[in-house]
Amino acid sequence: MKKKRMGIAVLSALLLLAGCSNDTADSFEVPFEGELSHVHGMGYAGGGNDLYFASHSGPKIYRDGEWFETADNFFDYMGFNAVDEGFYSSGHPSADSDLPNPLGIQRSTDGGETLEEIAFQGETDFHAMAVGYTSHDIFLLNPAKNSLLEAGFYKSNDIGESWEPVKASGLEGEVMALALHPTDSNFVAAATSTGVYFSRDGGENFEAITSENETGTAVHFTEDQLYFGSYGTAAALVKYTMENEELETVNIPDLPQDAIAFIAQNPTDERELAIYSLQGNAYLSEDGSQTWETLLEEGKIK
C-alpha cells in the first residue's frame, strides 16, 4: 500500500509540475491589440498554423483569428526566417536586454522566449538572409567585413559552423529579399531593384525570371514553386513552377501605390497563403488565392 500511495503522490507532483510548465509557456504570449508596424519578416514558424510577423518590437502572432504578442524579448528582428522548428533571425536586442548588439544570427525553438546564438553575435546585422524551412541551411549577404567573412554572399550547410563564399554571378541590383528552397539548397531566389533572379546551383549563377523595368519585392519557396512579388506598373504576385519554368499570375487584393513585401504559404495547407505589403497591409487566403481576408490595414488589426 505504501508503494501505491507513493506512486500516486509522485504522479500528482508530476502533473502539478506539468501544469506549472504550461502556465509558464502560456504566459509568454499575451493578447495583442496594438498597431503593428516596421515588419521585417513573416512566416509560419514551428511547422504549424501560427503566422508570425517579425516586428520592431518582437514577434506578433496570428492564430485562429486572434492576435498575440510576446510578453518579453521585444527584439527588433531583421532577416527573419520561419522554419519547421521555430525561426532564425538577425537584428537588434531590446534596450533592457543584456545580449550584445547586433544579434548576429540567432535561433529560437520556443516562439522567441529563448534565443540560441548561431554566429556573429555582436558583429553583424543581416538584413538579407534566407534559411531552408526544413534543411536549416543558410544563404546570406554579408554587408561588411566581420571577424570571419568578407563582404559578399555566403552559404552554410551546417547551421553556421562553416561558411562558403558564393559567386552570385548574374545577380544585379540592390537585394531586397532572399529565399532558399525548404529542402534542396541548390534552389535560391533573390528579389532586387532590377527584378527577380533564380539559381539552380546554390547561388553560384542567377538568371532573371522577370521582364525588364520590373522590380523584385519578395520571394518565397514552396516544395515545387517559387512565389514572388514584383512591381512594374502595379503590384503583382507570380507563381513560378521550377520544373517547367512556367509563370502564373496569382490573384491578389487591390494594392494601389503599394507592393508585396513578404509571402508565406502554410506548410500544412498549400491552399493557405499570406501576403504583407510595404504599406502595412496583410491578407490571408484559405482557398488558393481566390478570396482574401484582411488581417491588417496600414498596420491596424481588422
Side-chain angles (χ1 to χ4, degrees):
M1 292 297 292
K2 287 184 178 179
K3 289 184 178 179
K4 186 175 181 180
R5 281 196 294 269
M6 185 176 294
I8 293 173
V10 170
L11 179 60
S12 298
L14 289 173
L15 289 172
L16 180 60
L17 286 172
C20 290
S21 297
N22 289 334
D23 289 341
T24 302
D26 292 343
S27 67
F28 185 66
E29 288 184 8
V30 295
F32 174 64
E33 299 177 350
E35 189 168 333
L36 182 52
S37 61
H38 301 287
V39 171
H40 304 305
M42 179 185 71
Y44 289 89
N49 298 316
D50 295 356
L51 182 59
Y52 276 63
F53 293 78
S55 79
H56 189 71
S57 56
K60 317 302 179 190
I61 306 108
Y62 180 78
R63 179 192 301 123
D64 298 329
E66 297 183 307
W67 284 92
F68 301 88
E69 65 177 339
T70 59
D72 198 359
N73 295 345
F74 305 115
F75 299 157
D76 182 11
Y77 286 123
M78 309 291 292
F80 178 88
N81 280 262
V83 297
D84 56 353
E85 297 177 355
F87 65 80
Y88 286 67
S89 191
S90 191
H92 306 277
S94 57
D96 60 352
S97 171
D98 58 1
L99 285 178
N101 185 21
L103 292 173
I105 304 173
Q106 303 281 340
R107 173 173 64 180
S108 178
T109 58
D110 57 8
E113 187 168 2
T114 59
L115 295 178
E116 173 192 356
E117 181 192 2
I118 299 299
F120 309 115
Q121 181 172 279
E123 292 190 64
T124 307
D125 177 20
F126 298 99
H127 288 200
M129 181 173 71
V131 182
Y133 193 86
T134 304
S135 70
H136 296 206
D137 291 345
I138 305 171
F139 187 96
L140 56 76
L141 172 59
N142 185 36
K145 181 179 180 180
N146 56 34
S147 63
L148 185 61
L149 309 179
E150 298 291 331
F153 291 94
Y154 292 85
K155 62 183 177 181
S156 174
N157 296 327
D158 53 14
I159 312 183
E161 290 292 326
S162 62
W163 297 89
E164 297 178 25
V166 181
K167 292 179 182 178
S169 297
L171 185 59
E172 300 178 358
E174 180 185 354
V175 175
M176 309 293 187
L178 296 170
L180 200 59
H181 188 272
T183 57
D184 188 345
S185 298
N186 286 311
F187 299 126
V188 188
T192 83
S193 56
T194 61
V196 174
Y197 295 81
F198 182 70
S199 172
R200 295 179 181 270
D201 58 5
E204 293 296 323
N205 298 280
F206 284 87
E207 291 186 1
I209 57 175
T210 46
S211 58
E212 293 183 9
N213 303 318
E214 197 167 357
T215 298
T217 61
V219 278
H220 173 74
F221 275 107
T222 65
E223 192 63 37
D224 300 314
Q225 283 95 24
L226 169 70
Y227 283 89
F228 67 82
S230 64
Y231 190 93
T233 57
L237 177 63
V238 178
K239 182 168 63 175
Y240 174 76
T241 301
M242 294 179 287
E243 183 177 358
N244 59 15
E245 300 183 353
E246 182 178 293
L247 293 167
E248 177 187 348
T249 301
V250 178
N251 174 57
I252 58 172
D254 188 28
L255 295 174
Q257 303 301 312
D258 201 357
I260 295 170
F262 303 109
I263 308 161
Q265 186 190 70
N266 188 330
T268 67
D269 183 358
E270 64 180 14
R271 291 175 60 80
E272 184 172 315
L273 191 69
I275 58 175
Y276 178 86
S277 82
L278 295 174
Q279 298 295 333
N281 301 302
Y283 304 92
L284 180 70
S285 175
E286 296 179 331
D287 56 10
S289 76
Q290 295 182 51
T291 61
W292 294 88
E293 174 190 358
T294 302
L295 303 184
L296 295 168
E297 188 171 321
E298 295 183 351
K300 297 178 181 178
I301 294 173
K302 298 299 290 182

